[in-house]
Each structure stands twice: as structure tokens, then as C-alpha cells.
Amino acid sequence: MIDPFTALAAVKSAVAAGKEIVNVTKQIGEFFDGVDDLRAAHEKKKNSIFSGSDENAMETFVNLQRAKDAEEELRQIVIATRGFSAWGELQSIRVQARKDRKAKIEAEKKRKQKMAERFIIYGGSIVIVSIMLGITIVIILAKQGRL
């Protein structure tokens, strides 16, 4: 998981050093990926039936709150350097990237499911053919008196 706080620190130091916000797009992308990962981890912990530890859920909640604060800080940086419209554009790019990532994950799930189905079909076919061949050989050997 990408640490969003490290990515934000890189963005802040780059902007403080006089770099344009467009020159730190990789770090901004890593920040948003990290925030999304934290959200997913929190939802997973919150909805897990095996997560009996309130400490783990609290930890993910605190990290999520820190990420929200960091996101607000990034928002202020972007608005201060590029204007409010740049933040809106950045959010629409983020939404599209999230949709693309979700589509990629779904495609990978479908590919794995199709692979598992093929394995079951081909493996089952081989087992059935082997059993039928074995039965046929036993019948032939029994008729010849070799059994």
C-alpha cells in the first residue's frame, strides 16, 4: 500500500521548492491511490466478520481521518497554486482513474474465473475419460479372462 502521507510530503516540499503542481502529478496520483487504499482497508476491516478487534478498526479509522485531513491540505495547495477549477479537474481525473482501476480489477476477476472454469471442465473431462477408459480396460480384461 502506498503511504499517502509520504506522497503529500513530497508534493508539499516540491511546491515549497518552487515547482509547479503539474510537475508533481506522480506524487499526487500516489497520494490519491494511498487514500483509496486506506478507505478500502477501513471498509474491509469494518465489514469483516473476523475483525473482532476494535483496535484494528480504530486504527484504520484514525488513518482514514488523517487521510481526509491530508486531502484537505492538498486541496488547499492545489487551489492556492492553480485555482479552484484545477481542483475540480483533478477530482474528475481521480474519479475516472478510480473507474478505470475498478474495471481493470473486474476484468482480472473475470479472467481468473474463466481460467478456473476451464480448469474444472478440462480436468473433469480428463478424469471422466480416464475412468471410462479404466472401466473399458477392466471389462476387456475380464472378458479375456485375464482378470
Side-chain angles (χ1 to χ4, degrees):
M1 176 165 52
I2 300 167
D3 180 26
F5 310 113
T6 305
L8 180 63
V11 170
K12 287 168 50 177
S13 64
V15 169
K19 287 188 177 178
E20 282 288 320
I21 198 81
V22 293
N23 295 332
V24 291
T25 55
K26 180 181 181 229
Q27 289 84 357
I28 291 173
E30 288 174 350
F31 172 78
F32 285 134
D33 288 344
V35 170
D36 291 342
D37 289 346
L38 283 175
R39 282 194 178 117
H42 178 66
E43 286 301 314
K44 187 176 181 181
K45 290 274 188 189
K46 186 173 78 171
N47 296 330
S48 174
I49 59 172
F50 299 112
S51 178
S53 171
D54 288 338
E55 184 177 317
N56 287 339
M58 185 57 94
E59 180 183 343
T60 61
F61 175 75
V62 168
N63 284 338
L64 186 59
Q65 294 307 311
R66 285 182 53 215
K68 285 180 183 179
D69 293 343
E71 193 169 355
E72 178 59 29
E73 197 173 338
L74 178 64
R75 179 180 169 274
Q76 294 300 327
I77 292 170
V78 171
I79 290 172
T81 58
R82 303 298 290 177
F84 189 76
S85 63
W87 179 252
E89 290 174 27
L90 187 60
Q91 289 302 311
S92 62
I93 290 169
R94 181 180 182 195
V95 167
Q96 184 61 43
R98 194 179 298 142
K99 286 179 183 178
D100 292 346
R101 188 176 333 135
K102 188 174 182 179
K104 186 177 178 182
I105 289 169
E106 286 298 318
E108 183 66 19
K109 278 184 183 178
K110 285 181 181 180
R111 186 189 71 77
K112 286 181 179 180
Q113 183 178 7
K114 195 174 244 182
M115 188 90 101
E117 288 173 359
R118 285 182 182 160
F119 179 76
I120 291 170
I121 290 170
Y122 294 140
S125 297
I126 289 171
V127 168
I128 289 171
V129 168
S130 297
I131 290 171
M132 290 175 64
L133 184 61
I135 291 172
T136 304
I137 290 172
V138 168
I139 291 172
I140 291 171
L141 290 175
K143 284 193 176 195
Q144 291 177 352
R146 293 184 172 172
L147 237 176

